[in-house]
Amino acid sequence: MKLYKRKPGDTAPPGQPDPYMIRAKDGRYYIYATWPEGAQLYSSDNLFDGWKYEGVCLDMTGQKNCWAPCVIEIDGTYYMYYSSMDADCEDEHGQTMRVAVSDSPRGPFRRVKDLLPPFSIDPHTVQTPSGLYLFYCQNEYHAERVGTVIFCDKMKDPQTMDGNPVCVIRPTMDEEIYMKNRFKQGEHWHTIEGAFYFCVGNTHFLMYSGACHQNPTYFIGYSVAHGAPDADLRTLEWKKYPNDHTYSPLLPHNDFMEGMGHNSVILDDGKYYIVYHGRDIGTGSRKEDYRCARIDEMKVDGDRLSVQITP
């Protein structure tokens, strides 16, 4: 179900790529999304409707091209993790992982520190019984399937990395190819990105997007690991579901939508909901801007996740 229905003359961007949803201490729901000028912000007092565009909530002084913001509240402070490029950067891989802070979920968020060097994108920061962890993506140039992969590292505090990351998900199938012959003839570039972690009992889930959002195989998948809730997330043995070589998207394209990917998950009133972007078929364009935030209930049955997509 589409969350924000844009009207003629609306000042909101035409889409909400990479939507990240939280429920803040004030009881309202917030969505943060990708936008070149800074993190988009939407809010509502209802999970499914009443969403209002609040503008850009991140101060982008000296920066450009904000990607995939995620927000977590720790001890009354809201931390936004995101990537952006320096304003004068011309390198397409100049995206740098940064953290900004605010005393409100509405912002304004102001950058306080760079966490990881370029190229580093798609953060998900999660607090667990064993501590604070950051999932993020970087490029791997020397591998059987070269491309973008997901790493996990622990954090000493919300602004300091532990410095001992491990790769938790790599490409394993052709459906994860971002572009053929991208940098070298005969060597295809793969992409695994958009990590989102959650845990149910002793079952750990790590969701991700594969390929390019303009490709027909672009998809949301997930890996599963088993261990105590207080396990160090870097030590878990992650396995793709159902296995490394079977293309089995959690959200396949259908008659009314394509390009589903980059999700977050929210637990509300005992139910899990997946928040993701999807592009309406028939818009006449596959431009990134037209990926809109959507929400559907997600069932958790042992190691298996399932979603019934609604128009």
Side-chain angles (χ1 to χ4, degrees):
M1 181 180 72
K2 188 182 292 187
L3 282 173
Y4 184 79
K5 297 175 174 61
R6 195 166 181 265
K7 302 177 180 64
D10 199 335
T11 59
Q16 304 85 36
D18 312 325
Y20 191 93
M21 183 187 287
I22 67 168
R23 188 175 189 183
K25 285 188 172 181
D26 62 7
R28 290 184 66 82
Y29 300 89
Y30 294 89
I31 291 176
Y32 307 88
T34 289
W35 189 240
E37 299 172 7
Q40 299 185 51
L41 175 65
Y42 299 80
S43 74
S44 176
D45 60 5
N46 185 296
L47 187 61
F48 302 104
D49 55 33
W51 287 94
K52 177 185 176 183
Y53 176 58
E54 303 279 3
V56 170
C57 64
L58 172 64
D59 181 354
M60 288 287 285
T61 301
Q63 308 167 74
K64 62 182 180 182
N65 295 341
C66 171
W67 284 4
C70 83
V71 172
I72 187 172
E73 181 270 328
I74 301 174
D75 297 331
T77 298
Y78 289 85
Y79 296 87
M80 176 181 286
Y81 299 85
Y82 68 101
S83 64
S84 66
M85 300 167 66
D86 292 338
D88 60 355
C89 179
E90 299 300 328
D91 181 0
E92 66 172 323
H93 286 124
Q95 289 285 341
T96 300
M97 186 66 62
R98 291 163 169 156
V99 58
V101 300
S102 175
D103 59 4
S104 167
R106 296 176 178 271
F109 289 87
R110 292 183 171 84
R111 178 178 63 168
V112 292
K113 190 175 183 181
D114 293 356
L115 292 178
L116 295 166
F119 173 75
S120 48
I121 63 170
D122 291 5
H124 180 218
T125 309
V126 59
Q127 182 78 59
T128 80
S130 65
L132 190 65
Y133 294 84
L134 177 66
F135 293 91
Y136 61 92
C137 298
Q138 289 185 327
N139 291 339
E140 193 171 61
Y141 294 96
H142 304 289
E144 181 179 351
R145 290 180 180 264
V146 298
T148 305
V149 302
I150 296 176
F151 286 88
C152 176
D153 198 5
K154 197 169 185 178
M155 302 188 76
K156 296 179 179 179
D157 60 58
Q159 298 183 39
T160 309
M161 307 297 299
D162 186 52
N164 293 290
V166 297
C167 182
V168 288
I169 306 181
R170 286 185 170 91
T172 55
M173 64 185 82
D174 289 348
E175 288 84 359
E176 295 163 345
I177 293 175
Y178 179 95
M179 182 184 295
K180 292 185 176 182
N181 308 310
R182 187 181 188 191
F183 298 119
K184 183 189 298 184
Q185 188 65 30
E187 185 178 77
H188 305 324
W189 188 264
H190 302 69
T191 292
I192 297 290
E193 61 185 6
F196 188 92
Y197 166 88
F198 71 104
C199 182
V200 181
N202 290 331
T203 304
H204 302 257
F205 295 94
L206 184 54
M207 308 182 75
Y208 60 90
S209 298
C212 170
H213 72 89
Q214 293 184 339
N215 293 356
T217 61
Y218 182 62
F219 70 104
I220 293 175
Y222 60 97
S223 287
V224 179
H226 299 99
D230 62 353
D232 186 323
L233 302 187
R234 296 171 297 182
T235 66
L236 296 176
E237 187 176 354
W238 294 99
K239 299 292 185 182
K240 286 182 179 177
Y241 186 90
N243 57 62
D244 282 352
H245 304 291
T246 299
Y247 176 64
S248 181
L250 178 64
L251 292 175
H253 65 267
N254 52 50
D255 293 339
F256 58 87
M257 184 172 53
E258 63 182 359
M260 289 86 84
H262 201 113
N263 72 283
S264 55
V265 173
I266 189 164
L267 178 62
D268 191 81
D269 196 24
K271 295 181 179 180
Y272 288 95
Y273 296 92
I274 182 171
V275 182
Y276 60 99
H277 62 227
R279 187 171 48 244
D280 291 344
I281 292 176
T283 59
S285 173
R286 286 190 170 188
K287 290 182 180 179
E288 181 178 1
D289 285 349
Y290 290 91
R291 293 177 291 166
C292 296
R294 304 183 67 96
I295 186 169
D296 285 296
E297 185 178 352
M298 184 172 69
K299 301 288 188 180
V300 181
D301 182 10
D303 289 358
R304 185 173 180 268
L305 305 178
S306 61
V307 179
Q308 181 65 46
I309 301 174
T310 55

